[in-house]
Amino acid sequence: MPIHQPQQRSAASPAAPRKRHGQRRRRGLAGTRWKAASGRWYVPAAGGRAVDRIEATGQVRGAAGGPTPAVRAPRDASVQLTARLREGGTLAAVR
């Protein structure tokens, strides 16, 4: 069975990694609403490798170190997510 080799992409390719000062940027923050089997609602979030801490504000409040926290929240709660980056600065969640 032949082994599949991934294709190399040129720097002009839209799928090529974006680089800044020779390193890939690993920033990003997103969240969603999720209903657990227990019937409780949560706002799980995920941040890129540059994310050091994620905070939830609005109708619920919570914070956690690391890139993947989940905050318990009512189904229709208004929640804003903000990430603290390892290199300093903050990042708002994608809407």
Side-chain angles (χ1 to χ4, degrees), residues 15-35:
R18 302 284 183 228
K19 294 188 177 187
R20 181 178 178 186
H21 305 295
Q23 296 182 2
R24 289 182 73 174
R25 296 178 70 185
R26 292 181 171 95
R27 297 182 185 181
L29 175 63
T32 190
R33 287 179 174 77
W34 174 72
K35 185 178 180 182

Side-chain angles (χ1 to χ4, degrees), residues 66-81:
T68 57
V71 177
R72 190 169 163 193
R75 178 181 179 180
D76 57 351
S78 174
V79 179
Q80 293 79 41
L81 297 171

Side-chain angles (χ1 to χ4, degrees), residues 31-95:
T32 190
R33 287 179 174 77
W34 174 72
K35 185 178 180 182
S38 66
R40 294 179 179 157
W41 284 88
Y42 293 86
V43 176
R49 291 181 184 171
V51 171
D52 187 43
R53 180 176 180 82
I54 297 176
E55 296 182 22
T57 58
Q59 291 179 309
V60 296
R61 292 191 176 273
T68 57
V71 177
R72 190 169 163 193
R75 178 181 179 180
D76 57 351
S78 174
V79 179
Q80 293 79 41
L81 297 171
T82 306
R84 185 178 70 196
L85 302 174
R86 293 180 196 278
E87 72 246 15
T90 59
L91 179 66
V94 176
R95 292 190 172 245

